[in-house]
Amino acid sequence: MIPYGKQSINQNDIDTVVDVLKSNWLTQGPKVPEFEKAISHYTGCQHAVAVNSATSALHIACLALGVTDGDYVWTSPISFVASSNCALYCGANIDFVDIALTTGNMCMKELEKKLIHAKKTQQLPKVVIPVHLAGQSCDMKRINELSVEYGFSIIEDASHAIGAKYRGDPVGNCRYSDICVFSFHPVKIVTTAEGGMATTNDPDLARRMQLLRSHGVTSDETEMTEPSHGPWYYQQTGLGFNYRMTDIHAALGLSQLDRLDEFIHKRHQLANLYNSLLDTAKITPLQQSEYIYSAYHLYIVQLRTPCVKTHRKLVTQLRANKIIGHVHYIPIHLQPYYQNMGFKKGDFPAAETYYRSSITLPLYPDLQEEHLEYITDTIHKILC
Ligand SMILES: *Cc1c(COP(=O)(O)O)cnc(C)c1O
């Protein structure tokens, strides 16, 4: 079977993990801050907060921005459910902004339209969470302009986009956002097995997220309500969680980060090969905007004519030929849990059309070029 995504683990990855296992610190040791520093350096942000998943990062990012009961949070319907669940964890209301069909990313015209309407009904969002689908950044400059005009905060869900660039700068530098979140799940660009990171340039947000990831507990006397009782003393000043990353995971992340640029380069090479081999009369890759450099987490193609039957046939027959084609994503508002909240079919038509026409083809650094040619040949046979 050729999977749609796969981690690439080398001897150095293994050795660095084994070194941690032999050290004094399995967790809360030096590797986590080292990994945070490396991510800050790579992305050019001021602060990076490591956690045990991107889902946790999204949750504490919302909390740090003050999302609470009755607030509105908006995200894209074409994403993994974690992008919207984070708002629900905080007791907030979730809503979606429809996508641009050709990129799968949040549509700026739809966002503006929805903001104008929300201003009239006094239901403006507290936070908007753009999702950089497949590794391609959303139009962050525009979202930032709108955030100034309408007064919302921005969390980038960059789970797909470490190593990507927006207008020449690394995604994660938070030039146009309050917080940016990365995932290190094995199908993503670099892995820590499970893990995530939140980057920000705001020291207060960083500190709030650090407290939230570890029980809301502080050992810093300046944050306490009374003088410290002694070197053992700590205070819980808020309600937090155990969302910590371990040193074992951080060590793997550090080793993987050394290979990030090489991974992205390889992903681009393979994506270009797909672009040159695919019969674009039938199937076209997602459009790439001119101001972005994608991390190519996913290689997504779209049927020229959306068709439930052809879409299903293509994915099913690819699998019969030992190729795991996938679909990213089922529109979140069509999930039963969200339908029970009142969302219904037809609410976000572009997302629904996108779902009927989009297929993810295998893409990962160790994918062999012969396999890629086999994949495109098989697609052409199925579609002929
Ligand atoms: C993978 C993913 C997440 C969740 O990441 P975890 O690290 O598995 O929690 C969130 N959003 C998007 C868009 C993702 O692809």
Side-chain angles (χ1 to χ4, degrees), residues 53-55 58 79-80 82-83 131 157 159-160 183 185 188 195 329:
S53 72
T55 304
L58 287 164
S79 186
F80 186 55
S83 305
V131 179
D157 185 344
S159 291
H160 299 181
S183 170
H185 183 277
K188 309 287 161 72
Y329 288 92

Side-chain angles (χ1 to χ4, degrees), residues 100-344:
L101 191 54
T102 52
T103 62
N105 276 341
M106 187 180 280
C107 172
M108 290 305 106
K109 290 213 174 72
E110 287 296 322
L111 175 59
E112 188 174 10
K113 215 165 78 182
K114 203 175 171 88
L115 286 165
I116 291 169
H117 183 257
K119 191 171 180 183
K120 284 187 194 138
T121 58
Q122 298 192 313
Q123 291 184 326
L124 280 169
K126 182 151 202 169
V127 172
V128 173
I129 308 179
V131 179
H132 303 327
L133 187 75
Q136 170 165 221
S137 176
C138 294
D139 189 353
M140 292 311 301
K141 198 156 172 265
R142 182 66 189 136
I143 299 176
N144 184 269
E145 285 165 5
L146 290 168
S147 80
V148 173
E149 192 176 343
Y150 290 93
F152 57 85
S153 302
I154 304 170
I155 301 171
E156 295 174 72
D157 185 344
S159 291
H160 299 181
I162 194 159
K165 291 192 174 81
Y166 175 70
R167 296 184 188 274
D169 293 325
V171 168
N173 71 355
C174 296
R175 176 159 174 198
Y176 298 110
S177 66
D178 297 278
I179 298 171
C180 178
V181 166
F182 296 120
S183 170
F184 306 123
H185 183 277
V187 296
K188 309 287 161 72
I189 309 272
V190 290
T191 190
T192 60
E194 296 280 0
M197 187 78 73
T199 64
T200 182
N201 293 324
D202 180 332
D204 292 332
L205 287 177
R207 185 59 190 147
R208 259 176 256 163
M209 291 193 286
Q210 284 165 354
L211 290 168
L212 284 161
R213 81 170 157 191
S214 198
H215 309 283
V217 156
T218 181
S219 304
D220 178 348
E221 192 170 5
T222 64
E223 294 174 335
M224 293 179 187
T225 56
E226 58 176 302
S228 175
H229 300 180
W232 67 88
Y233 192 63
Y234 57 83
Q235 277 191 347
Q236 182 183 344
T237 53
L239 185 62
F241 309 87
N242 181 351
Y243 281 171
R244 291 187 303 261
M245 179 180 277
T246 77
D247 275 48
I248 303 169
H249 295 87
L252 179 55
L254 274 164
S255 171
Q256 287 263 303
L257 200 58
D258 279 343
R259 301 166 66 205
L260 174 54
D261 290 338
E262 170 203 324
F263 284 161
I264 304 280
H265 181 69
K266 194 66 209 284
R267 285 174 177 276
H268 271 260
Q269 271 185 340
L270 292 168
N272 288 337
L273 188 57
Y274 266 127
N275 290 345
S276 67
L277 292 175
L278 278 171
D279 177 359
T280 52
K282 297 197 174 84
I283 207 156
T284 51
L286 285 186
Q287 232 171 56
Q288 303 290 307
S289 315
E290 79 269 20
Y291 50 78
I292 62 96
Y293 177 74
S294 179
Y296 268 119
H297 163 52
L298 301 171
Y299 187 82
I300 296 175
V301 290
Q302 297 183 308
L303 296 172
R304 281 263 180 201
T305 334
C307 168
V308 180
K309 245 175 91 183
T310 314
H311 184 251
R312 194 188 164 106
K313 178 178 147 195
L314 184 52
V315 177
T316 311
Q317 298 209 2
L318 279 171
R319 291 190 182 211
N321 284 281
K322 301 203 180 326
I323 299 160
I324 305 286
H326 217 296
V327 179
H328 294 92
Y329 288 92
I330 306 154
I332 300 174
H333 70 284
L334 298 183
Q335 295 291 351
Y337 186 77
Y338 283 82
Q339 301 256 293
N340 289 340
M341 263 185 278
F343 292 104
K344 52 191 190 309

Side-chain angles (χ1 to χ4, degrees), residues 7-14 191 252 256 259 263 366:
Q7 69 277 12
S8 169
I9 299 294
N10 69 8
Q11 194 57 45
N12 192 59
D13 293 328
I14 295 166
T191 190
L252 179 55
Q256 287 263 303
R259 301 166 66 205
F263 284 161
D366 297 334

